[in-house]
């Protein structure tokens, strides 16, 4: 029994043979792809429960955002014109005052709006790291999307102690891992060498031993003083830090690596760890020494590199395809042209990202046996026609406005740009209400022309306790340099 049949589409499978069907049909039964074959005349008369005529349109696997934070979705526009060091200070203030100041309604509205934006951009799976993972799991689960969610562990960034955060993470894993028909899973997500104390790393190692099937998702080498930060935990550099706690292997996801070198790239590739690259945030805001991640060395040693949006609310873009475009342009600018082909980028947003998340047996390509996560994109318009080299059209020309239909686990979440799985009006109303409440509570002033952060004295008062904790471990010089 076929539940869903998509016929006459240009099907880009991203499978092992890189099959590209000019006129293809995708059949789905019980959430699983049962066949991907050339369209037969009978397909057009199919009695499947749901039939989509994709003539002139492209069918690709659902896109995967490999690294994202979601908690502050509602602050869009506040940070857009700040300098890098200002951004860090304001973000720091937000991260450890928001929970007590704003409460769950603010974060729930943020997650729902994020799901809506994710869906309309064709992103079916997100790998998230957040301080409100329970709200995220509920939002992702209820809206039909797929997510790997890591409770962010960072005792230098938020008021809760390492022990409290670790206990919360364990509770989250026990409650939400492998829920919502398997669409929601958990990861272990220490913030990185800069945000975590030695006590916290020890607890992370225990979690890893207790939950060996989970991904370890962290930031690494995102600061010029990364080695000094690692020294604060008693190791020579950030990779040594992971090694010491037995955390560096093929289940490890490393975000940024901006200040990593050739030797680090080799260690990462040899370990089989995956690299999550988020180009926009570091080119939009220059924070600290200008540098770029060691792509040529990672390519030479064969590391899996994939792409994430990181903090869409700081630079105001939720478009993952644009993010991959930035990745290519910035890599070419730094290292010379042709660092990636268009098809390489498409694989990074689909099958390579699925491999990083350990989900490549389930999603990431269109082939029989995999769960039906897919996107239909309309390229049959003067904005795209005429064309050749479809991967280049997908990675250079297509925007979210071209995403027509989104399917996860065989369920149609958006069809012809009409959202089926969410109440768009109530999501928007809650977001507006909570954003206004945020502004009243925090003192951010906004107008159509821009935004002004609240009085700095508030920041100094609330951050004092955490800064003291960080200074105790790393020394004042390092803390000043990092902030
Ligand atoms: Zn991040």
């Amino acid at each position: 029994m076929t539940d869903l049949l998509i016929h006459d589409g240009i099907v880009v499978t991203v499978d092992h043979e890189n099959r590209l069907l000019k006129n293809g049909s995708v059949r789905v039964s019980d959430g699983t792809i049962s066949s991907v074959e050339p369209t037969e005349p009978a397909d057009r008369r199919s009695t499947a429960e749901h039939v989509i005529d994709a003539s002139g349109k492209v069918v690709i696997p659902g896109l995967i955002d490999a690294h994202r934070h979601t908690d502050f979705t509602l602050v869009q526009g506040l940070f857009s014109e700040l300098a890098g060091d200002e951004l860090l200070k304001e973000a720091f203030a937000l991260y450890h005052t928001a929970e007590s100041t704003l409460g769950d309604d603010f974060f729930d509205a943020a997650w729902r709006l994020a799901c809506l934006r994710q869906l309309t951009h064709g992103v079916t799976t997100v790998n998230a790291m957040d301080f409100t993972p329970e709200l995220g799991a509920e939002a992702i689960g209820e809206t039909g999307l797929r997510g790997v969610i890591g409770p962010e562990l960072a005792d230098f960034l938020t008021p809760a102690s390492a022990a409290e955060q670790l206990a919360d993470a364990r509770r989250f894993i026990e409650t939400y891992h492998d829920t919502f028909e398997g669409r929601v899973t958990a990861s272990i997500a220490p913030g990185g060498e800069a945000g975590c104390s030695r006590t916290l790393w020890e607890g992370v190692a225990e979690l890893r031993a207790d939950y060996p099937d989970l991904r370890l998702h962290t930031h690494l080498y995102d600061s010029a003083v990364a080695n000094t930060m690692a020294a604060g935990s008693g190791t020579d550099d950030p990779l040594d830090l992971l090694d010491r706690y037995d955390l560096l292997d093929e289940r490890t996801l490393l975000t940024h690596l901006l200040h990593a070198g050739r030797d680090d790239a080799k260690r990462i590739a040899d370990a089989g760890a995956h690299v999550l690259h988020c180009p926009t945030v570091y080119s939009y805001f220059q924070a600290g020494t200008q540098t770029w991640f060691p792509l040529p060395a990672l390519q030479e040693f064969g590391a899996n590199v994939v792409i994430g949006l990181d903090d869409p609310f700081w630079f105001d873009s939720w478009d993952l395809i644009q993010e991959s475009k930035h990745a290519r342009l910035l890599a070419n600018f730094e290292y010379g042209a042709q660092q990636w082909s268009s098809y390489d980028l498409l694989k990074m947003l689909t099958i390579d990202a699925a491999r990083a998340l350990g989900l490549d047996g389930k999603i990431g390509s269109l082939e029989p046996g995999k769960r039906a996560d897919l996107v239909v994109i309309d390229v049959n318009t003067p904005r795209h026609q005429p064309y050749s080299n479809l991967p280049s059209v997908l990675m250079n020309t297509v925007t979210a406005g071209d995403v027509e239909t989104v399917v996860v686990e065989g369920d149609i979440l958006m069809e012809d740009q009409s959202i089926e799985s969410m109440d768009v009006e109530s999501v928007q109303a809650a977001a507006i209400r909570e954003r206004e409440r945020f502004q009243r509570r925090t003192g951010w002033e906004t107008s159509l022309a821009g935004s002004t952060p609240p009085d700095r004295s508030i920041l100094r008062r609330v951050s004092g306790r955490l800064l003291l904790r960080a200074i105790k471990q790393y020394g004042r010089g390092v803390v000043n340099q990092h902030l």
Side-chain angles (χ1 to χ4, degrees), residues 1-7 26-28 43 46-53 405 407 410-416 420:
M1 174 64 191
T2 301
D3 302 323
L4 170 65
L5 173 65
I6 301 172
H7 65 83
V26 180
R27 270 187 186 72
V28 178
D43 293 348
S46 169
T47 55
E49 196 175 318
H50 211 104
V51 178
I52 294 175
D53 180 354
T405 296
V407 174
D411 287 333
I412 300 173
L413 306 186
M414 181 169 88
E415 184 168 17
D416 290 333
E420 309 286 329

Side-chain angles (χ1 to χ4, degrees), residues 277-285 292-293 295 306-312 315-336 339-340 345 348-349 394-399:
H277 176 49
C278 309
T280 304
V281 73
Y282 281 102
S283 48
Y284 196 105
F285 302 99
W292 212 235
F293 84 129
L295 177 62
V306 295
I307 291 175
L309 285 168
D310 204 359
D311 304 289
F315 53 81
D316 314 327
S317 170
W318 288 75
D319 193 327
L320 190 62
I321 291 174
Q322 286 291 310
E323 190 73 21
S324 74
K325 187 172 182 172
H326 295 173
R328 169 150 67 182
L329 295 176
L330 290 159
N332 287 357
F333 181 75
E334 184 70 23
Y335 297 117
Q339 294 295 323
W340 286 301
L345 293 175
M348 288 159 72
L349 298 185
L394 290 171
M395 292 296 108
N396 286 331
T397 319
V398 160
T399 66

Side-chain angles (χ1 to χ4, degrees), residues 44-167:
R44 299 178 188 123
R45 304 185 299 273
S46 169
T47 55
E49 196 175 318
H50 211 104
V51 178
I52 294 175
D53 180 354
S55 302
K57 294 166 188 176
V58 182
V59 186
I60 63 170
L63 303 177
I64 301 172
D65 183 348
H67 177 77
R68 192 188 78 198
H69 307 281
T70 320
D71 291 322
F72 291 104
T73 296
L74 300 188
V75 307
Q76 177 155 315
L78 297 187
F79 291 79
S80 327
E81 315 298 335
L82 294 184
D85 55 345
E86 258 189 299
L87 166 90
L88 282 176
K89 287 175 183 166
E90 295 305 336
F92 193 72
L94 261 190
Y95 274 109
H96 68 271
T97 56
E99 203 175 337
S100 55
T101 314
L102 298 165
D104 280 359
D105 287 350
F106 174 80
F107 295 109
D108 182 60
W111 274 101
R112 306 276 164 178
L113 185 64
C115 286
L116 181 59
R117 289 184 175 161
Q118 178 184 332
L119 175 57
T120 53
H121 285 80
V123 175
T124 51
T125 299
V126 65
N127 182 39
M129 179 194 283
D130 279 287
F131 293 107
T132 54
E134 294 85 0
L135 297 173
E138 297 286 346
I140 295 265
E142 287 171 17
T143 52
L145 292 160
R146 193 183 299 281
V148 181
I149 303 174
E152 183 162 358
L153 301 164
D155 52 338
F156 290 151
L157 201 56
T158 63
S161 70
E164 289 165 334
Q165 294 190 32
L166 289 160

Side-chain angles (χ1 to χ4, degrees), residues 84-395:
D85 55 345
E86 258 189 299
L87 166 90
L88 282 176
K89 287 175 183 166
E90 295 305 336
F92 193 72
L94 261 190
Y95 274 109
H96 68 271
T97 56
E99 203 175 337
S100 55
T101 314
L102 298 165
D104 280 359
D105 287 350
F106 174 80
F107 295 109
D108 182 60
W111 274 101
R112 306 276 164 178
L113 185 64
C115 286
L116 181 59
R117 289 184 175 161
Q118 178 184 332
L119 175 57
T120 53
H121 285 80
V123 175
T124 51
T125 299
V126 65
N127 182 39
M129 179 194 283
D130 279 287
F131 293 107
T132 54
E134 294 85 0
L135 297 173
E138 297 286 346
I140 295 265
E142 287 171 17
T143 52
L145 292 160
R146 193 183 299 281
V148 181
I149 303 174
E152 183 162 358
L153 301 164
D155 52 338
F156 290 151
L157 201 56
T158 63
S161 70
E164 289 165 334
Q165 294 190 32
L166 289 160
D168 287 347
R170 191 175 287 274
R171 200 173 311 119
F172 175 78
I173 294 166
E174 290 290 336
T175 311
Y176 285 104
H177 180 60
D178 199 15
T179 55
F180 294 98
E181 303 89 39
R183 286 183 290 104
V184 171
T185 53
S187 71
I188 302 166
E193 73 274 31
C196 305
S197 69
R198 200 183 298 199
T199 312
L200 195 139
W201 284 112
E202 285 163 5
V204 165
E206 284 173 23
L207 277 180
R208 184 60 172 288
D210 290 346
Y211 300 102
D213 295 339
L214 302 194
R215 265 8 197 188
L216 189 286
H217 178 195
T218 190
H219 301 93
L220 215 70
Y221 276 117
D222 55 351
S223 157
V225 293
N227 285 346
T228 316
M229 293 289 185
S233 291
T235 55
D236 288 341
D237 64 37
L239 290 173
D240 277 341
L241 177 65
L242 295 185
D243 258 343
R244 165 196 272 206
Y245 295 111
D246 205 15
L247 298 172
L248 183 62
D249 57 37
E250 70 288 346
R251 300 164 297 163
T252 306
L253 312 176
L254 303 173
T255 313
H256 300 320
L257 299 178
L258 274 187
H259 297 268
R262 185 181 160 80
D263 290 347
D264 305 312
K266 182 159 188 351
R267 288 172 71 185
I268 289 162
D270 287 349
H274 309 267
V275 178
L276 317 184
H277 176 49
C278 309
T280 304
V281 73
Y282 281 102
S283 48
Y284 196 105
F285 302 99
Q286 186 189 326
T289 316
Q290 190 172 7
T291 184
W292 212 235
F293 84 129
L295 177 62
L298 290 164
Q299 305 256 49
E300 179 188 340
F301 299 123
N304 184 31
V305 177
V306 295
I307 291 175
L309 285 168
D310 204 359
D311 304 289
F313 38 85
W314 287 353
F315 53 81
D316 314 327
S317 170
W318 288 75
D319 193 327
L320 190 62
I321 291 174
Q322 286 291 310
E323 190 73 21
S324 74
K325 187 172 182 172
H326 295 173
R328 169 150 67 182
L329 295 176
L330 290 159
N332 287 357
F333 181 75
E334 184 70 23
Y335 297 117
Q338 295 180 311
Q339 294 295 323
W340 286 301
S341 71
S342 301
Y343 192 69
D344 288 339
L345 293 175
L346 179 61
K347 284 175 68 180
M348 288 159 72
L349 298 185
T350 54
I351 189 65
D352 291 349
R355 188 150 53 90
L357 300 181
L359 296 174
D360 50 324
K362 202 170 180 180
I363 56 169
S365 60
L366 302 178
E367 48 192 320
K370 287 207 177 179
R371 308 303 286 164
D373 288 14
L374 57 88
V375 175
V376 180
I377 296 171
D378 188 4
V379 292
N380 195 20
T381 75
R383 287 199 296 120
H384 305 294
Q385 294 277 15
Y387 64 81
S388 61
N389 187 357
L390 181 61
S392 122
V393 174
L394 290 171
M395 292 296 108

